[in-house]
Amino acid sequence: TMAPVSDPSSFSSLSKCATKHLNLIYHVDFDRQVLKGKVALTVEVLEDKFASLTLDSKDLKIFKVSANGQAVQFALGTKHKFKGSPLEITLPFELSRGQHVIVEIEYETSPSATALQWLTPKQTAGKKHPYLFSQCQAIHCRTMVPCQDTPSVKHTYYAQVSVPRELVALMSALRDGQEPDPSDSNRVIYRFRQPVPMPAYLIAIVVGALESREIGPRSRVWSEKEYVDEAAFEFSETETMLKTAESLAGPYVWGQYDLLVLPPSFPYGGMENPCLTFVTPTVLAGDRSLAGVIAHEISHSWTGNLVTNRTWEHFWLNEGHTVYIERMIARCMESEQLRQFEGIGGWKELQESVKEFGPNNVLTNLVTNLHEVDTDEAFSSVPYEKGFALLYHLEELMGGPEVFMGFVKSYIQLFAYGSVTTEEWKNYLFTYFKDKVDILNKVDWNGWMHTPGMPPVKPQYDTTMADVCTALCQRWVKAKEEDLASFTEADVKKLNSPQLIEFVALLLQEEPLPLSHVKKMQEVYQLNSVKNTEVRFRWLRICVRAHWEEAVPLALKMATEQGRMKFTRPLFR
Ligand code: BES
Ligand code: ZN
């Protein structure tokens, strides 16, 4: 039995009907920067006397709506600033509970659709062909498809996409062949099928001059040809990560696991689109040191894509569990000490977010209230790191990583193919650990879940890997002018890549360093020439905070050469 569903970010009817399948036909028009097409939704009726339904839409031009082949009346409601316009459809007949109806909509997207980035040839690596990519999470799918744009509804999909013949189309689905477009000899139609039910926010499309290389038995890496070799090297551990994740969480149900390296304007580090994870080129460090992003997106194949947050108010269920599994993968592939080190880094990220929002801001609650709140404005490290901290705290209480991962795996099995709320998660936690409810009852649930600021308990982490970072950071913070000569290249030579990132992250948490210190640090560590973007963006902020004017053009260059929000926004700030 499911709790009554309501989603503050969606206009669509949730108790009346549920979309089961979506059949999409797109004509990709690069000249007008629009997708023109048709979608047929197979909708299951959930109530008697069903005669109307509401879908989500935003900036769509609707030409025609029909139901079971018959043209029907429709109207677009008043536009809400981030939710878009409800698409109200009235049927000329009544249906009862259990019946199905096929709702077909002919429409066109807007050039300013918030899910879509249309790049001119100049904005690509190859400079010859245009490029299109989507980013639907959390509530942008409605600018691409009129649909029930809520994670509480799951459906399969089939799609046919017509593109200029020199380009390749991919979607978050299995490739199902291609054929010349019968209506235009300069175009090709690509077909896709997604046989696993998934929420609308996981629909994704990319069109560009793409090439690919095989990197594993179920994996290829896709990108413009300029990046493929670099990407194939960087992500060569993908199959090992998939196998490790399967050993922890159960079978991988999505068939293929491909990666797409996007142009630099992609706004996120990674996006877990089923069958085809999207990643920013800023993870191409040249030494696989940022491949943790892939472990994270792989983990979403279980937490997020298979078990999904019922609404965006429960987003921590997606990201907290995913970070937990990502760090379990680090534990299996590397060491428990690395996992502990990442836990410390995560706690520090949480402190940063709480500082940024203010400790009394309700957006720092683990479970948020999104009535009239734009999900993009609420986004932060809080659901990731407060979520992880809670799961790690429970792991400590319940008997360690193996025991707690047993719970996570069982939770995945139970809720697979469904959508869950925090309450359902918590009820299952108490059921699974029925012999330990005394301990669970002592947890300050209200403090963890519904109170702003840092969590009520700080978990304990092993500091073996972190100690060198803290020590070196403190040496710089405490150094007087006359001490600067004691710093040498050797200080950082003994740090591995995650430790170097942690060192600059720690410095950034301190008061700004004197200019003399920062100049000396450049002289001995040569951080201006570090390619690793996680090091570079923190280092450049350290320099700007020290008022080193020579760093400003470098910071501006990094802020504008790529568009990953994690880097670009703090650099501009
Ligand atoms: N699903 C998220 C990205 C996302 C969240 C997009 C909410 C839109 C709305 C993805 O899995 C993610 O968390 N990406 C992280 C990388 C990760 C290693 C923490 C990112 O982009 O920084
Ligand atoms: Zn994630």
Side-chain angles (χ1 to χ4, degrees):
T1 52
M2 302 242 291
V5 189
S6 76
D7 179 341
S9 313
S10 169
F11 285 120
S12 71
S13 330
L14 299 184
S15 49
K16 297 170 74 153
C17 61
T19 309
K20 293 292 157 187
H21 181 76
L22 219 142
N23 194 331
L24 262 174
I25 296 178
Y26 274 144
H27 177 97
V28 181
D29 185 339
F30 277 104
D31 295 330
R32 296 177 53 235
Q33 303 200 324
V34 302
L35 299 176
K36 191 175 162 61
K38 240 180 4 191
V39 63
L41 299 98
T42 308
V43 176
E44 186 193 352
V45 174
L46 301 176
E47 60 171 18
D48 289 332
K49 299 193 176 145
F50 173 88
S52 68
L53 70 156
T54 306
L55 297 176
D56 290 298
S57 85
K58 190 181 169 194
D59 301 329
L60 296 179
K61 230 189 251 172
I62 312 282
F63 302 122
K64 185 181 177 190
V65 180
S66 46
N68 294 342
Q70 187 182 347
V72 301
Q73 281 189 7
F74 65 92
L76 281 176
T78 334
K79 185 176 174 179
H80 179 279
K81 55 185 184 305
F82 57 83
K83 288 192 253 187
S85 314
L87 171 58
E88 328 255 6
I89 299 171
T90 313
L91 305 183
F93 46 78
E94 269 188 5
L95 296 171
S96 30
R97 192 180 161 81
Q99 291 189 294
H100 286 77
V101 59
I102 296 181
V103 178
E104 191 175 276
I105 302 159
E106 290 175 29
Y107 71 101
E108 186 176 282
T109 63
S110 155
S112 56
T114 51
L116 302 173
Q117 272 196 39
W118 297 87
L119 307 186
T120 60
K122 250 180 85 180
Q123 293 171 299
T124 67
K127 311 287 175 204
K128 283 204 179 64
H129 301 287
Y131 196 105
L132 165 68
F133 70 81
S134 68
Q135 168 58 47
C136 286
Q137 197 180 13
I139 54 170
H140 301 290
C141 185
R142 61 194 69 178
T143 70
M144 249 176 80
V145 195
C147 64
Q148 291 184 293
D149 194 5
T150 163
S152 59
V153 171
K154 293 190 176 189
H155 46 72
T156 53
Y157 80 88
Y158 195 87
Q160 299 172 71
V161 184
S162 164
V163 303
R165 92 177 156 212
E166 55 285 359
L167 302 183
V168 174
L170 298 173
M171 290 191 78
S172 53
L174 302 170
R175 285 178 300 129
D176 195 42
Q178 65 192 76
E179 67 196 9
D181 187 335
S183 67
D184 185 343
S185 61
N186 288 316
R187 300 179 70 93
V188 190
I189 294 176
Y190 287 88
R191 292 187 300 257
F192 305 94
R193 63 186 173 91
Q194 179 49 268
V196 181
M198 45 156 252
Y201 78 87
L202 293 175
I203 295 174
I205 186 168
V206 60
V207 183
L210 299 172
E211 297 200 353
S212 73
R213 269 189 54 177
E214 191 180 287
I215 54 166
R218 48 185 153 174
S219 302
R220 309 187 71 82
V221 62
W222 298 84
S223 70
E224 283 190 83
K225 68 170 180 305
E226 288 75 6
Y227 299 126
V228 253
D229 292 322
E230 221 182 314
F233 172 84
E234 205 78 34
F235 306 135
S236 63
E237 301 155 305
T238 299
E239 179 59 22
T240 312
M241 288 179 179
L242 280 165
K243 286 224 179 71
T244 307
E246 285 187 299
S247 76
L248 291 163
Y252 178 78
V253 305
W254 305 89
Q256 194 73 9
Y257 182 83
D258 284 359
L259 290 163
L260 168 74
V261 179
L262 285 113
S265 61
F266 187 62
Y268 290 96
M271 177 63 214
E272 65 273 25
N273 297 132
C275 308
L276 181 67
T277 282
F278 284 23
V279 283
T280 166
T282 64
V283 301
L284 300 173
D287 59 2
R288 304 187 175 123
S289 57
L290 300 177
V293 174
I294 308 303
H296 179 92
E297 304 313 333
I298 285 175
S299 303
H300 273 304
S301 306
W302 290 268
T303 45
N305 300 3
L306 199 54
V307 179
T308 308
N309 48 218
R310 178 82 59 81
T311 72
W312 299 113
E313 299 183 323
H314 306 280
F315 182 51
W316 83 272
L317 290 173
N318 274 18
E319 297 301 341
H321 288 87
T322 296
V323 172
Y324 186 80
I325 299 173
E326 170 200 342
R327 291 181 183 157
M328 286 300 284
I329 294 175
R331 176 179 196 264
C332 296
M333 286 179 62
E334 207 43 57
S335 64
E336 172 63 8
Q337 283 186 351
L338 177 62
R339 185 176 81 115
Q340 296 285 322
F341 177 76
E342 290 180 353
I344 295 173
W347 185 264
K348 195 186 64 267
E349 286 298 312
L350 179 57
Q351 289 174 324
E352 298 281 304
S353 283
V354 168
K355 204 171 144 199
E356 180 76 32
F357 276 110
N360 300 318
N361 191 323
V362 288
L363 291 178
T364 63
N365 288 15
L366 186 62
V367 182
T368 53
N369 180 338
L370 293 179
H371 281 277
E372 294 304 314
V373 177
D374 184 344
T375 52
D376 285 340
E377 303 297 331
F379 182 78
S380 76
S381 296
V382 171
Y384 294 76
E385 298 301 346
K386 201 185 256 196
F388 173 81
L390 171 59
L391 296 175
Y392 182 78
H393 175 60
L394 293 170
E395 172 194 303
E396 287 178 309
L397 294 177
M398 295 297 98
E402 279 92 3
V403 173
F404 199 73
M405 193 59 219
F407 161 72
V408 173
K409 184 174 187 173
S410 172
Y411 157 76
I412 291 166
Q413 249 160 31
L414 183 64
F415 293 106
Y417 307 104
S419 300
V420 287
T421 62
T422 300
E423 190 177 68
E424 289 167 312
W425 169 85
K426 190 180 158 196
N427 284 340
Y428 187 59
L429 179 78
F430 275 71
T431 306
Y432 185 87
F433 291 112
K434 58 182 182 308
D435 301 334
K436 293 173 180 157
V437 287
D438 293 349
I439 309 176
L440 287 176
N441 276 322
K442 288 195 194 108
V443 172
D444 177 3
W445 293 103
N446 191 52
W448 276 99
M449 289 176 165
H450 307 291
T451 310
M454 291 303 284
V457 185
K458 182 183 188 320
Q460 290 302 301
Y461 295 109
D462 175 287
T463 62
T464 311
M465 277 183 72
D467 286 338
V468 265
C469 310
T470 326
L472 186 58
C473 171
Q474 285 308 308
R475 257 182 80 201
W476 279 99
V477 170
K478 304 235 166 76
K480 310 232 165 43
E481 294 294 323
E482 59 270 26
D483 302 324
L484 291 181
S486 74
F487 292 102
T488 65
E489 197 192 347
D491 305 337
V492 285
K493 281 284 166 294
K494 56 179 184 257
L495 304 185
N496 60 24
S497 181
Q499 286 172 318
L500 185 59
I501 296 168
E502 180 65 6
F503 165 63
V504 284
L506 285 169
L507 278 178
L508 202 50
Q509 260 196 335
E510 300 288 338
E511 290 300 309
L513 288 172
L515 183 54
S516 54
H517 285 50
V518 173
K519 284 184 167 171
K520 179 69 185 182
M521 198 178 293
Q522 164 58 16
E523 188 192 315
V524 287
Y525 302 162
Q526 295 292 313
L527 295 174
N528 278 346
S529 40
V530 169
K531 184 183 171 185
N532 186 303
T533 47
E534 293 282 353
V535 176
R536 188 171 183 81
F537 109 102
R538 292 184 176 91
W539 162 243
L540 292 174
R541 286 161 72 206
I542 291 169
C543 295
V544 170
R545 275 162 43 100
H547 293 249
W548 191 6
E549 291 191 17
E550 284 165 47
V552 174
L554 300 181
L556 193 58
K557 190 163 184 280
M558 183 169 187
T560 54
E561 272 182 353
Q562 54 75 45
R564 182 175 176 186
M565 290 190 284
K566 175 183 178 181
F567 298 154
T568 291
R569 298 174 82 173
L571 280 167
F572 271 117
R573 229 181 272 141

